[in-house]
Amino acid sequence: VQWDPALPSTITSTFSSTAYVNVTSSDPALCGNPGRVNIGTVTWNLSPSEITSQCVATTPADRTRTTIGVGEVVNLSLTPAPSCGSVTWTLSGVGTLSGTTYTAPDRAGSATITADAGCGCGKWTKTFSIIEPSGAQFTKSGGDKHINGWTSAGFLANVTILPTSVSFYAIQIKEDSVAPTGTSGDWAGIGNHAEGSWISVNADNTLPAQDHINSKGGPGAVPGGYTWAIPWRYHVGSGTGYIFSTQNHVFSADNAGTATQSKAGVSTAAIPLNAASTDWPF
Amino acid sequence: MKYQIVCVFIGAILALNAQGGDNGNDSVVTPTQMHSLESKSRNAKNIDEKRESADALYAFAKTVFQGEGNSNISRPELAAITCESYTRYLMAATSPVDSASNSIAALELALSAVDKSPLPPASLNVSPPEGSPGVFASGMDPKNIQDPKVKAEYELRIARNNQAIAESNNRIRLQHGIDELKEAIGNVIQGSDVPVSTSFKSLIQQSHLPSEIKADLLKDSKR
């Protein structure tokens, strides 16, 4: 058999060649000249299979990422499908594998998915890193808030759960109750921060609700302050969940009633007692 | 197989009626019943239990959506739970043709439950009302408010906010449920044997799903 073009020593990708068989004849009409018969063209498709994955969450835009948030769901496939064998999918590590769908657990970890075509047809693996939320980013929305004649300061904030390199659409978060620390003046009577409600996170990790952050004392000057170091908790689906961050709600006022309010590092200006009122409560 | 599905459906209805009878009113369906069915779906031990529990949830949802039960069940929450149940089944099944019709109908039902009206405003922390002297802060425990009128008003605001958060949570859950069920149906179409894939495609074409969702589910590219 002759191949045209000739076969290379190694075929590493798609390659086509036509096979010919040389023939000779004793027929005097052919004068003993050889001829050749075209047997056919063969194509070797040696594109290697690989496990491809697609996160159900459409945000972040890279749905093939292998670092995923707790509770995220990922669909898997073997592409192109191997030409032989029957693929068996197995999981080593955390989470659950149902058919070709992987669901991350509610804690950080690592998961390796194996697709085995059996009978020496090939075995492929893909490893995922599962990460928990690490914190929250506060962004002030609108201006500072105040009530004229009261020791008061506050603001609205939009909140994004971090990191944004994965989607935390499967989690809910809430604030825990906590006693104040660093209290002084009348602010010693502020008492505990109350436990909040579980609130779902959007696919882009933003919270669907703003945070209302304020303190108000008076009327008149109420010097002093307090801090709530508020534990933030997440869960996937149900359960008491896990604390992943602490957001400090800090208020202070001087003897003249000039007040400052901050949370998660975002702060109002120092607002004098006699500053003009804004919308309050908000 | 059809006989089995009919039996499952009738069994689900009988079970619901039996539970409804606990409070003496057969037409009332309750969130407890919904969560009981959800629990069965979540704890299903094998593929048959997954399918049966999904079909039972769908039958229950149809009852609620058709207004046959005088319920205080959140429709978005119920639709989301039904989507999640079928997603779990479709992800695990190798030949889910028996539930093709119901899973697509469940997707239709979920889409009908999407509420695009503005959500009531919800916040992470609620501000106490104005009015009385003292110190106040958003998110403070109502127990520390001395004025009973201010305290009552603050508690009312917290209750309203919790209601708004619950509604927001249900809407988000429904959207996630729809997205995951669409993905699961798409995977069945792409990854199943021809008879199963053809059955799903045919049912999708005949369905009342919006054209863009039909196109998305039927597209040829690998999902």
PDB file of all heavy atoms in Angstrom, chain B residues 14-38:
ATOM      1  N   LEU B  14     -54.259  12.211  46.551  1.00  0.00           N
ATOM      2  CA  LEU B  14     -54.856  11.598  47.741  1.00  0.00           C
ATOM      3  C   LEU B  14     -54.091  11.984  49.000  1.00  0.00           C
ATOM      4  O   LEU B  14     -54.671  12.285  50.040  1.00  0.00           O
ATOM      5  CB  LEU B  14     -54.880  10.066  47.597  1.00  0.00           C
ATOM      6  CG  LEU B  14     -55.859   9.527  46.545  1.00  0.00           C
ATOM      7  CD1 LEU B  14     -55.705   8.017  46.406  1.00  0.00           C
ATOM      8  CD2 LEU B  14     -57.294   9.871  46.934  1.00  0.00           C
ATOM      9  N   ALA B  15     -52.752  11.990  48.859  1.00  0.00           N
ATOM     10  CA  ALA B  15     -51.920  12.356  50.013  1.00  0.00           C
ATOM     11  C   ALA B  15     -52.194  13.791  50.428  1.00  0.00           C
ATOM     12  O   ALA B  15     -52.292  14.104  51.616  1.00  0.00           O
ATOM     13  CB  ALA B  15     -50.444  12.178  49.670  1.00  0.00           C
ATOM     14  N   LEU B  16     -52.343  14.646  49.446  1.00  0.00           N
ATOM     15  CA  LEU B  16     -52.604  16.054  49.762  1.00  0.00           C
ATOM     16  C   LEU B  16     -53.954  16.201  50.436  1.00  0.00           C
ATOM     17  O   LEU B  16     -54.105  16.925  51.414  1.00  0.00           O
ATOM     18  CB  LEU B  16     -52.582  16.899  48.481  1.00  0.00           C
ATOM     19  CG  LEU B  16     -51.245  16.952  47.759  1.00  0.00           C
ATOM     20  CD1 LEU B  16     -51.371  17.776  46.487  1.00  0.00           C
ATOM     21  CD2 LEU B  16     -50.211  17.554  48.679  1.00  0.00           C
ATOM     22  N   ASN B  17     -54.948  15.484  49.916  1.00  0.00           N
ATOM     23  CA  ASN B  17     -56.272  15.567  50.517  1.00  0.00           C
ATOM     24  C   ASN B  17     -56.237  15.058  51.948  1.00  0.00           C
ATOM     25  O   ASN B  17     -56.879  15.609  52.837  1.00  0.00           O
ATOM     26  CB  ASN B  17     -57.275  14.752  49.693  1.00  0.00           C
ATOM     27  CG  ASN B  17     -57.667  15.495  48.425  1.00  0.00           C
ATOM     28  OD1 ASN B  17     -57.484  16.704  48.348  1.00  0.00           O
ATOM     29  ND2 ASN B  17     -58.174  14.785  47.431  1.00  0.00           N
ATOM     30  N   ALA B  18     -55.468  13.978  52.144  1.00  0.00           N
ATOM     31  CA  ALA B  18     -55.389  13.421  53.496  1.00  0.00           C
ATOM     32  C   ALA B  18     -54.764  14.437  54.441  1.00  0.00           C
ATOM     33  O   ALA B  18     -55.237  14.638  55.570  1.00  0.00           O
ATOM     34  CB  ALA B  18     -54.554  12.141  53.483  1.00  0.00           C
ATOM     35  N   GLN B  19     -53.704  15.134  53.967  1.00  0.00           N
ATOM     36  CA  GLN B  19     -53.067  16.126  54.836  1.00  0.00           C
ATOM     37  C   GLN B  19     -53.979  17.327  55.027  1.00  0.00           C
ATOM     38  O   GLN B  19     -54.071  17.883  56.106  1.00  0.00           O
ATOM     39  CB  GLN B  19     -51.742  16.574  54.217  1.00  0.00           C
ATOM     40  CG  GLN B  19     -50.704  15.472  54.226  1.00  0.00           C
ATOM     41  CD  GLN B  19     -49.452  15.874  53.475  1.00  0.00           C
ATOM     42  OE1 GLN B  19     -48.913  16.956  53.692  1.00  0.00           O
ATOM     43  NE2 GLN B  19     -48.976  15.029  52.602  1.00  0.00           N
ATOM     44  N   GLY B  20     -54.686  17.697  53.968  1.00  0.00           N
ATOM     45  CA  GLY B  20     -55.602  18.822  54.067  1.00  0.00           C
ATOM     46  C   GLY B  20     -56.719  18.539  55.047  1.00  0.00           C
ATOM     47  O   GLY B  20     -57.259  19.450  55.658  1.00  0.00           O
ATOM     48  N   GLY B  21     -57.046  17.235  55.182  1.00  0.00           N
ATOM     49  CA  GLY B  21     -58.127  16.879  56.086  1.00  0.00           C
ATOM     50  C   GLY B  21     -57.779  17.111  57.537  1.00  0.00           C
ATOM     51  O   GLY B  21     -58.672  17.160  58.389  1.00  0.00           O
ATOM     52  N   ASP B  22     -56.485  17.275  57.832  1.00  0.00           N
ATOM     53  CA  ASP B  22     -56.087  17.483  59.225  1.00  0.00           C
ATOM     54  C   ASP B  22     -56.742  18.715  59.828  1.00  0.00           C
ATOM     55  O   ASP B  22     -56.986  18.779  61.020  1.00  0.00           O
ATOM     56  CB  ASP B  22     -54.555  17.642  59.325  1.00  0.00           C
ATOM     57  CG  ASP B  22     -53.863  16.320  59.019  1.00  0.00           C
ATOM     58  OD1 ASP B  22     -54.573  15.285  58.985  1.00  0.00           O
ATOM     59  OD2 ASP B  22     -52.646  16.341  58.800  1.00  0.00           O
ATOM     60  N   ASN B  23     -56.972  19.714  59.026  1.00  0.00           N
ATOM     61  CA  ASN B  23     -57.563  20.921  59.583  1.00  0.00           C
ATOM     62  C   ASN B  23     -59.047  21.033  59.204  1.00  0.00           C
ATOM     63  O   ASN B  23     -59.634  22.098  59.310  1.00  0.00           O
ATOM     64  CB  ASN B  23     -56.800  22.165  59.123  1.00  0.00           C
ATOM     65  CG  ASN B  23     -56.690  22.209  57.615  1.00  0.00           C
ATOM     66  OD1 ASN B  23     -57.458  21.540  56.923  1.00  0.00           O
ATOM     67  ND2 ASN B  23     -55.747  22.985  57.113  1.00  0.00           N
ATOM     68  N   GLY B  24     -59.588  19.919  58.731  1.00  0.00           N
ATOM     69  CA  GLY B  24     -61.014  19.874  58.513  1.00  0.00           C
ATOM     70  C   GLY B  24     -61.482  20.545  57.245  1.00  0.00           C
ATOM     71  O   GLY B  24     -62.671  20.712  57.042  1.00  0.00           O
ATOM     72  N   ASN B  25     -60.552  20.964  56.395  1.00  0.00           N
ATOM     73  CA  ASN B  25     -60.970  21.608  55.156  1.00  0.00           C
ATOM     74  C   ASN B  25     -60.149  21.032  54.014  1.00  0.00           C
ATOM     75  O   ASN B  25     -58.985  21.317  53.859  1.00  0.00           O
ATOM     76  CB  ASN B  25     -60.743  23.126  55.265  1.00  0.00           C
ATOM     77  CG  ASN B  25     -61.244  23.839  54.027  1.00  0.00           C
ATOM     78  OD1 ASN B  25     -61.519  23.209  53.003  1.00  0.00           O
ATOM     79  ND2 ASN B  25     -61.384  25.146  54.139  1.00  0.00           N
ATOM     80  N   ASP B  26     -60.823  20.195  53.199  1.00  0.00           N
ATOM     81  CA  ASP B  26     -60.095  19.469  52.166  1.00  0.00           C
ATOM     82  C   ASP B  26     -59.536  20.378  51.090  1.00  0.00           C
ATOM     83  O   ASP B  26     -58.648  20.003  50.359  1.00  0.00           O
ATOM     84  CB  ASP B  26     -61.017  18.431  51.517  1.00  0.00           C
ATOM     85  CG  ASP B  26     -61.199  17.233  52.437  1.00  0.00           C
ATOM     86  OD1 ASP B  26     -60.486  17.161  53.447  1.00  0.00           O
ATOM     87  OD2 ASP B  26     -62.062  16.395  52.138  1.00  0.00           O
ATOM     88  N   SER B  27     -60.058  21.585  50.920  1.00  0.00           N
ATOM     89  CA  SER B  27     -59.614  22.451  49.837  1.00  0.00           C
ATOM     90  C   SER B  27     -58.403  23.286  50.220  1.00  0.00           C
ATOM     91  O   SER B  27     -57.840  23.965  49.393  1.00  0.00           O
ATOM     92  CB  SER B  27     -60.753  23.387  49.412  1.00  0.00           C
ATOM     93  OG  SER B  27     -61.009  24.313  50.441  1.00  0.00           O
ATOM     94  N   VAL B  28     -58.014  23.232  51.477  1.00  0.00           N
ATOM     95  CA  VAL B  28     -56.901  24.068  51.930  1.00  0.00           C
ATOM     96  C   VAL B  28     -55.590  23.323  51.766  1.00  0.00           C
ATOM     97  O   VAL B  28     -55.451  22.192  52.204  1.00  0.00           O
ATOM     98  CB  VAL B  28     -57.094  24.475  53.407  1.00  0.00           C
ATOM     99  CG1 VAL B  28     -55.868  25.194  53.922  1.00  0.00           C
ATOM    100  CG2 VAL B  28     -58.326  25.338  53.547  1.00  0.00           C
ATOM    101  N   VAL B  29     -54.651  23.972  51.075  1.00  0.00           N
ATOM    102  CA  VAL B  29     -53.306  23.418  51.011  1.00  0.00           C
ATOM    103  C   VAL B  29     -52.391  24.374  51.769  1.00  0.00           C
ATOM    104  O   VAL B  29     -52.625  25.585  51.783  1.00  0.00           O
ATOM    105  CB  VAL B  29     -52.823  23.230  49.563  1.00  0.00           C
ATOM    106  CG1 VAL B  29     -53.591  22.122  48.893  1.00  0.00           C
ATOM    107  CG2 VAL B  29     -52.950  24.512  48.778  1.00  0.00           C
ATOM    108  N   THR B  30     -51.389  23.827  52.403  1.00  0.00           N
ATOM    109  CA  THR B  30     -50.600  24.640  53.323  1.00  0.00           C
ATOM    110  C   THR B  30     -49.120  24.599  52.966  1.00  0.00           C
ATOM    111  O   THR B  30     -48.654  23.670  52.299  1.00  0.00           O
ATOM    112  CB  THR B  30     -50.743  24.118  54.765  1.00  0.00           C
ATOM    113  OG1 THR B  30     -50.144  22.823  54.812  1.00  0.00           O
ATOM    114  CG2 THR B  30     -52.203  24.024  55.181  1.00  0.00           C
ATOM    115  N   PRO B  31     -48.367  25.597  53.440  1.00  0.00           N
ATOM    116  CA  PRO B  31     -46.922  25.545  53.237  1.00  0.00           C
ATOM    117  C   PRO B  31     -46.299  24.289  53.829  1.00  0.00           C
ATOM    118  O   PRO B  31     -45.294  23.795  53.325  1.00  0.00           O
ATOM    119  CB  PRO B  31     -46.431  26.810  53.959  1.00  0.00           C
ATOM    120  CG  PRO B  31     -47.599  27.735  53.934  1.00  0.00           C
ATOM    121  CD  PRO B  31     -48.805  26.850  54.054  1.00  0.00           C
ATOM    122  N   THR B  32     -46.906  23.767  54.899  1.00  0.00           N
ATOM    123  CA  THR B  32     -46.359  22.545  55.504  1.00  0.00           C
ATOM    124  C   THR B  32     -46.382  21.402  54.509  1.00  0.00           C
ATOM    125  O   THR B  32     -45.419  20.627  54.405  1.00  0.00           O
ATOM    126  CB  THR B  32     -47.185  22.168  56.754  1.00  0.00           C
ATOM    127  OG1 THR B  32     -47.219  23.293  57.617  1.00  0.00           O
ATOM    128  CG2 THR B  32     -46.584  20.967  57.461  1.00  0.00           C
ATOM    129  N   GLN B  33     -47.482  21.294  53.759  1.00  0.00           N
ATOM    130  CA  GLN B  33     -47.573  20.240  52.749  1.00  0.00           C
ATOM    131  C   GLN B  33     -46.509  20.432  51.678  1.00  0.00           C
ATOM    132  O   GLN B  33     -45.876  19.474  51.233  1.00  0.00           O
ATOM    133  CB  GLN B  33     -48.961  20.266  52.111  1.00  0.00           C
ATOM    134  CG  GLN B  33     -50.060  19.824  53.057  1.00  0.00           C
ATOM    135  CD  GLN B  33     -51.421  20.102  52.472  1.00  0.00           C
ATOM    136  OE1 GLN B  33     -51.736  21.243  52.158  1.00  0.00           O
ATOM    137  NE2 GLN B  33     -52.212  19.072  52.299  1.00  0.00           N
ATOM    138  N   MET B  34     -46.335  21.688  51.264  1.00  0.00           N
ATOM    139  CA  MET B  34     -45.330  21.988  50.245  1.00  0.00           C
ATOM    140  C   MET B  34     -43.938  21.572  50.738  1.00  0.00           C
ATOM    141  O   MET B  34     -43.177  20.925  50.008  1.00  0.00           O
ATOM    142  CB  MET B  34     -45.347  23.492  49.935  1.00  0.00           C
ATOM    143  CG  MET B  34     -44.259  23.943  48.978  1.00  0.00           C
ATOM    144  SD  MET B  34     -44.383  25.700  48.585  1.00  0.00           S
ATOM    145  CE  MET B  34     -43.905  26.461  50.137  1.00  0.00           C
ATOM    146  N   HIS B  35     -43.617  21.941  51.976  1.00  0.00           N
ATOM    147  CA  HIS B  35     -42.279  21.631  52.479  1.00  0.00           C
ATOM    148  C   HIS B  35     -42.105  20.133  52.722  1.00  0.00           C
ATOM    149  O   HIS B  35     -40.993  19.606  52.621  1.00  0.00           O
ATOM    150  CB  HIS B  35     -41.999  22.440  53.746  1.00  0.00           C
ATOM    151  CG  HIS B  35     -41.859  23.911  53.460  1.00  0.00           C
ATOM    152  ND1 HIS B  35     -40.936  24.398  52.561  1.00  0.00           N
ATOM    153  CD2 HIS B  35     -42.527  24.992  53.919  1.00  0.00           C
ATOM    154  CE1 HIS B  35     -41.038  25.723  52.482  1.00  0.00           C
ATOM    155  NE2 HIS B  35     -42.005  26.106  53.299  1.00  0.00           N
ATOM    156  N   SER B  36     -43.196  19.454  53.015  1.00  0.00           N
ATOM    157  CA  SER B  36     -43.128  18.001  53.165  1.00  0.00           C
ATOM    158  C   SER B  36     -42.773  17.350  51.821  1.00  0.00           C
ATOM    159  O   SER B  36     -41.922  16.452  51.755  1.00  0.00           O
ATOM    160  CB  SER B  36     -44.481  17.484  53.684  1.00  0.00           C
ATOM    161  OG  SER B  36     -44.525  16.092  53.601  1.00  0.00           O
ATOM    162  N   LEU B  37     -43.415  17.820  50.765  1.00  0.00           N
ATOM    163  CA  LEU B  37     -43.108  17.292  49.433  1.00  0.00           C
ATOM    164  C   LEU B  37     -41.689  17.657  49.009  1.00  0.00           C
ATOM    165  O   LEU B  37     -40.975  16.864  48.397  1.00  0.00           O
ATOM    166  CB  LEU B  37     -44.112  17.835  48.416  1.00  0.00           C
ATOM    167  CG  LEU B  37     -45.539  17.275  48.539  1.00  0.00           C
ATOM    168  CD1 LEU B  37     -46.499  18.066  47.660  1.00  0.00           C
ATOM    169  CD2 LEU B  37     -45.568  15.807  48.167  1.00  0.00           C
ATOM    170  N   GLU B  38     -41.271  18.864  49.369  1.00  0.00           N
ATOM    171  CA  GLU B  38     -39.902  19.286  49.053  1.00  0.00           C
ATOM    172  C   GLU B  38     -38.899  18.369  49.757  1.00  0.00           C
ATOM    173  O   GLU B  38     -37.896  17.950  49.174  1.00  0.00           O
ATOM    174  CB  GLU B  38     -39.673  20.738  49.490  1.00  0.00           C
ATOM    175  CG  GLU B  38     -38.268  21.233  49.179  1.00  0.00           C
ATOM    176  CD  GLU B  38     -37.958  22.592  49.792  1.00  0.00           C
ATOM    177  OE1 GLU B  38     -38.723  23.029  50.684  1.00  0.00           O
ATOM    178  OE2 GLU B  38     -36.964  23.207  49.375  1.00  0.00           O
TER     179      GLU B  38
END
